Amino acid sequence: METGLKTHVLPAGAAATATAAGVLAEGGLVAFPTETVYGLGADAGNAAAIARLYEAKGRPAFNPLIAHVADLGAARRIALFDGQALRLAEAFWPGPLTLVLPKALSCPVAELATAGLDTVAIRIPAHKVARDIIKAFGGAVVAPSANLSGHVSPTTADHVNGDLAGRIDLIVDGGPVEVGVESTIVGCFSDPVLLRPGGLTRAEIERVLGHPLQSPPPDAETDAQPIAPGMLASHYAPRTPVRLNASDVHVGEALLAFGPAKVARRECASVEMNLSERGDLAEAAANLFGYLRTLDKRNADAIAVMPIPEDGLGEAINDRLRRAAVGR
């Protein structure tokens, strides 16, 4: 996609917030930091702007988007909350939790953003820059990750610029993000369902609910129409093939290590990066996408990834790695 568009980059602050709100109001596209990853924002009620967003990302139009709002009152104008959904919202918003809920009767989010579903995905981001922009804009903002569709999610403004320069209007640079993996998505159906693990752990959510989360239906993770954002079988994929649970390194491979554990034939790695030398899953999550991007540029035959525990944030990290390994 060659648009000849000039993509401006502004440091976060009052001037950038005002400029971003104006760009959104005019149907433009603005990338900004959230606590999870950088998002690419468009007016959630403007179908033409959303179509531009899909085009800029090369994103399949059947993949729904998350509507980001400033407060719970705005969320309740978009969707219907039952008791369980309200408990989760009050416990974890603002924060890295997305709720998939039935649309309100007068839901202002464009059909294109919900991919024709009767549900809508909503969250309130915790990042001050994101919330300031949404408040200044005065409405819901859809904001998928600010990258080319299927590529590694961006955790810095430079990542966004590398993927989307010339395709979007503005990047607000708020520095590196904190969490580093996308929000956890819970479908608030008759029984809440964990649709996508993310920056909020299953255990924290189940503690508030008082019972286990259900698993998604077996056909939910396909390349047909997904029921929530980020559920395509191939997603978050670098261009270099990814080999999971590597116990050794092949000649010509890059190594994505984790913790102090040893791996056989480590000396064969063309380059090595360790998600967390001390085995800290929060640090690993924050580093994941940035390290994948760096290794993807090293022209390795493949990226060998050492095993990651499934505990806590490890569930989200392994989910992203499995999708990355599916390829394009």
Side-chain angles (χ1 to χ4, degrees):
M1 174 184 169
E2 296 293 337
T3 66
L5 187 67
K6 171 66 175 175
T7 299
H8 298 278
V9 181
L10 295 177
T17 296
T19 300
V23 170
L24 291 169
E26 293 173 1
L29 304 180
V30 179
F32 54 82
T34 76
E35 72 277 24
T36 56
V37 298
Y38 270 72
L40 179 58
D43 178 355
N46 184 334
I50 295 164
R52 275 194 65 203
L53 184 152
Y54 280 128
E55 184 180 21
K57 280 179 61 70
R59 185 182 177 96
F62 51 73
N63 200 355
L65 303 174
I66 298 171
H68 294 66
V69 295
D71 53 47
L72 184 55
R76 298 189 78 165
R77 290 190 287 275
I78 290 173
L80 303 175
F81 285 72
D82 64 13
Q84 294 187 109
L86 198 56
R87 281 207 303 278
L88 292 176
E90 290 173 341
F92 299 117
W93 280 355
L97 174 67
T98 293
L99 300 179
V100 176
L101 301 159
K103 290 179 182 176
L105 186 60
S106 57
C107 177
V109 177
E111 286 285 329
L112 187 59
T114 62
L117 300 173
D118 293 329
T119 54
V120 59
I122 310 176
R123 90 176 182 98
I124 302 175
H127 199 291
K128 184 179 185 303
V129 173
R131 294 183 71 195
D132 285 350
I133 289 171
I134 294 165
K135 287 177 182 177
F137 171 63
V141 175
V142 292
S145 55
N147 58 330
L148 293 174
S149 185
H151 196 199
V152 182
S153 296
T155 55
T156 69
D158 284 345
H159 293 163
V160 179
N161 203 42
D163 266 14
L164 299 179
R167 293 169 173 252
I168 66 175
D169 301 283
L170 175 64
I171 300 170
V172 178
D173 186 352
V177 301
E178 179 181 352
V179 176
V181 292
E182 292 84 356
S183 61
T184 301
I185 301 181
V186 172
C188 294
F189 311 130
S190 54
D191 293 308
V193 176
L194 181 62
L195 295 174
R196 181 182 75 180
L200 183 67
T201 66
R202 178 195 295 265
E204 291 174 283
I205 297 167
E206 291 178 342
R207 188 160 48 246
V208 169
L209 288 175
H211 59 78
L213 287 161
Q214 300 299 306
S215 298
D219 60 349
E221 297 194 17
T222 70
D223 282 337
Q225 176 159 335
I227 59 176
M231 294 189 70
L232 292 177
S234 173
H235 210 59
Y236 317 107
R239 294 173 177 83
T240 308
V242 173
R243 184 168 69 89
L244 301 180
N245 298 314
S247 59
D248 62 355
V249 182
H250 301 166
V251 174
E253 286 187 322
L255 175 62
L256 186 61
F258 174 77
K262 303 300 182 185
V263 61
R265 303 201 304 169
R266 194 173 209 142
E267 69 278 2
C268 293
S270 60
V271 60
E272 176 183 335
M273 300 186 79
N274 196 315
L275 290 169
S276 173
E277 292 186 1
R278 64 179 187 270
D280 183 287
L281 288 169
E283 181 182 17
N287 288 332
L288 177 63
F289 289 134
Y291 284 14
L292 278 174
R293 281 179 174 268
T294 298
L295 294 178
D296 197 25
K297 295 176 181 177
R298 299 301 292 267
N299 298 316
D301 294 337
I303 299 171
V305 183
M306 287 176 61
I308 310 291
E310 281 283 341
D311 303 333
L313 283 174
E315 184 177 18
I317 294 168
N318 282 311
D319 172 81
R320 302 311 188 274
L321 287 169
R322 283 190 291 269
R323 294 176 194 275
V326 172
R328 294 169 179 275

